[in-house]
Amino acid sequence: MRLVFATKVSAVKLFRGLFRPNILLPIAGFVGAIAVWWIIALFRREMMPTPPEALLKNLDFILDPFYDRGPGDLGIGWLLLASLRRVCIGFLLGAVVAIPVGIWIGLSRNAWLALNPIVQVFKPVSPLVWLPIALAIFNAAEPSAIFVIFITSLWSTIINTAEGVRNVPKEYLEVAQVLEMPRWKQLTKIVLPASLPYIFTGLRISLGIAWLVIVAVEMLTGGVGIGFFVWDQWNRLNVSSVFLAVFVIGLTGLILDYALAKLQTIVTRRPARS
């Protein structure tokens, strides 16, 4: 009897939990977006599939995302992993360069005067503008895509890191100087820990832009990747698979940002802003 009562109480709590605003409202937002898609599809039957039709046509990709049926016929899971590999390599290379440069700019006025104009000039340039330059340098699609991601990952991280360093309380540095703390110890014990929230903010922005850019780059360069998948399916007039790619790209970007935010929480021991 007690077990049945406890089960009913748990079910009631679960039911009530589903109607909390932080759960109900996101669900309502997704339902609304799907409803808009459905309405548009009803007026564009010749091209646009309805959500159920798109789901049925994509069951092969969804149920077996890692199939390999030979060259040019890979599951969407392999294509996603190829894109993620390019993004991770370019993003990590960009972080390795951008964080030290940002710290240098933040600490040195001369470095700020020398490098800030370069950052401000190149920052507004569309990442895709770098693609022809990268192809001219490397003469291959793979390193060119990584180079574009590398360039994309620089600017936000440099700017946020420099801003974080410039906002380190001067009292901390003055105390370190009084204690005759070596310069390298000031960097590792004071400057870097105090700047970490700014650095992670820059990294999260850079990663989001990098993931956005890789899709466009792969659409232009071809090869194996989620961007090429979008372009290939459109050329086949398979709009259902384009919708699947939209969902996969968006969900992957969300997971990447969430993972970096969790890493920020672990490293800084402070909750990351969503």
Side-chain angles (χ1 to χ4, degrees):
M1 188 68 180
R2 289 182 179 179
L3 180 60
V4 174
F5 179 75
T7 304
K8 289 182 178 179
V9 170
S10 299
V12 170
K13 288 182 178 179
L14 177 62
F15 184 75
R16 288 179 178 176
L18 292 175
F19 284 89
R20 289 183 298 177
N22 59 340
I23 295 178
L24 186 61
L25 292 179
I27 293 174
F30 276 109
V31 171
I34 293 174
V36 171
W37 169 16
W38 206 321
I39 292 170
I40 295 173
L42 293 176
F43 287 95
R44 296 284 296 174
R45 296 291 297 173
E46 69 280 4
M47 286 294 295
M48 290 275 288
T50 62
E53 291 172 345
L55 179 62
L56 290 175
K57 290 181 180 178
N58 286 308
L59 280 180
D60 188 28
F61 290 118
I62 296 171
L63 297 178
D64 189 11
F66 291 99
Y67 70 77
D68 186 350
R69 298 167 186 164
D73 192 7
L74 298 174
I76 195 170
W78 295 118
L79 305 179
L80 181 63
L81 289 178
S83 298
L84 283 171
R85 181 178 58 82
R86 296 185 187 104
V87 168
C88 288
I89 294 173
F91 172 74
L92 291 175
L93 290 174
V96 167
V97 173
I99 293 174
V101 171
I103 293 174
W104 182 33
I105 290 176
L107 290 174
S108 171
R109 177 169 173 77
N110 290 335
W112 174 267
L113 292 174
L115 298 180
N116 184 55
I118 298 175
V119 174
Q120 298 305 325
V121 168
F122 288 146
K123 183 182 63 154
V125 177
S126 171
L128 293 181
V129 174
W130 296 101
L131 182 58
I133 299 173
L135 289 170
I137 296 172
F138 299 104
N139 197 29
E142 182 76 9
S144 298
I146 294 173
F147 177 79
V148 173
I149 298 303
F150 166 76
I151 291 292
T152 298
S153 302
L154 289 177
W155 316 123
S156 295
T157 304
I158 289 175
I159 292 171
N160 280 273
T161 301
E163 187 66 21
V165 172
R166 288 162 66 91
N167 280 284
V168 174
K170 293 182 179 179
E171 294 81 4
Y172 295 176
L173 298 175
E174 290 172 355
V175 170
Q177 291 173 358
V178 169
L179 296 175
E180 297 183 352
M181 186 179 291
R183 189 66 169 173
W184 66 268
K185 206 166 187 179
Q186 292 182 31
L187 288 174
T188 57
K189 298 295 185 180
I190 298 175
V191 175
L192 189 59
S195 306
L196 279 176
Y198 290 86
I199 294 173
F200 272 101
T201 298
L203 290 173
R204 290 174 68 183
I205 294 172
S206 295
L207 182 58
I209 298 173
W211 182 240
L212 182 150
V213 168
I214 191 62
V215 176
V217 168
E218 290 173 346
M219 290 175 72
L220 294 174
T221 58
V224 177
I226 193 69
F228 175 72
F229 174 80
V230 173
W231 191 244
D232 182 56
Q233 295 303 314
W234 166 248
N235 287 331
R236 299 181 185 187
L237 298 180
N238 188 4
V239 183
S240 298
S241 294
V242 174
F243 277 108
L244 173 64
V246 169
F247 177 78
V248 170
I249 292 168
L251 184 61
T252 304
L254 180 65
I255 293 172
L256 289 174
D257 184 71
Y258 179 79
L260 201 52
K262 280 296 181 185
L263 179 61
Q264 177 181 349
T265 301
I266 294 170
V267 173
T268 64
R269 298 179 183 178
R270 301 175 188 173
R273 293 182 179 180
S274 60

